[in-house]
Amino acid sequence: LIKVKIGKFHQIVPEVMQTYFKLMKKEYPGFNEAELILEEIDLKLRCKKCQHSYLLQEPLFICDQCGSWETELISGDELYIETIEGWQEDLDNSLTGEDQ
């Protein structure tokens, strides 16, 4: 099980990532039973003027409370592997190309 967190700011298409993961599973036998779980993280902004925090609904970085353009992204730019579960020996053999 591999769990990846992806902020919507990256505009990664989950179906494309799943397709490439399936191709990788064929290439590295230790991953043949692996499952990829993608979790999208919403875009969240904070206004530097009024300090209001909110989820971005439209592709405009304008504060929905005071109308200021002075905003900062506080969530949604993440891209990281949160967890990897499995047999360490299988993963090691897959990465080194050794048979099990």
Side-chain angles (χ1 to χ4, degrees):
L1 175 71
I2 301 171
K3 186 174 182 181
V4 178
K5 292 212 173 195
I6 304 170
K8 289 185 178 180
F9 192 74
H10 286 283
Q11 298 181 345
I12 292 174
V13 179
E15 293 81 14
V16 173
M17 199 162 185
Q18 289 287 359
T19 298
Y20 281 108
F21 186 74
K22 288 177 186 174
L23 291 172
M24 186 204 68
K25 286 171 50 169
K26 292 178 184 177
E27 185 76 23
Y28 299 100
F31 287 92
N32 59 353
E33 297 294 320
E35 178 184 356
L36 179 64
I37 296 175
L38 304 174
E39 182 180 325
E40 285 190 305
I41 301 170
D42 289 329
L43 292 168
K44 189 172 184 180
L45 300 177
R46 178 175 35 245
C47 178
K48 293 180 180 180
K49 189 173 182 180
C50 73
Q51 302 304 309
H52 173 61
S53 297
Y54 59 98
L55 292 177
L56 186 64
Q57 302 298 326
E58 300 292 328
L60 296 173
F61 287 67
I62 302 172
C63 177
D64 65 357
Q65 183 141 342
C66 74
S68 173
W69 287 87
E70 297 179 49
T71 60
E72 62 182 334
L73 186 65
I74 57 174
S75 177
D77 192 27
E78 300 86 355
L79 178 58
Y80 61 91
I81 297 172
E82 184 176 57
T83 58
I84 298 177
E85 298 175 8
W87 295 101
Q88 186 64 43
E89 184 178 332
D90 290 343
L91 291 173
D92 290 343
N93 289 342
S94 290
L95 294 174
T96 62
E98 297 175 10
D99 290 335
Q100 298 179 12

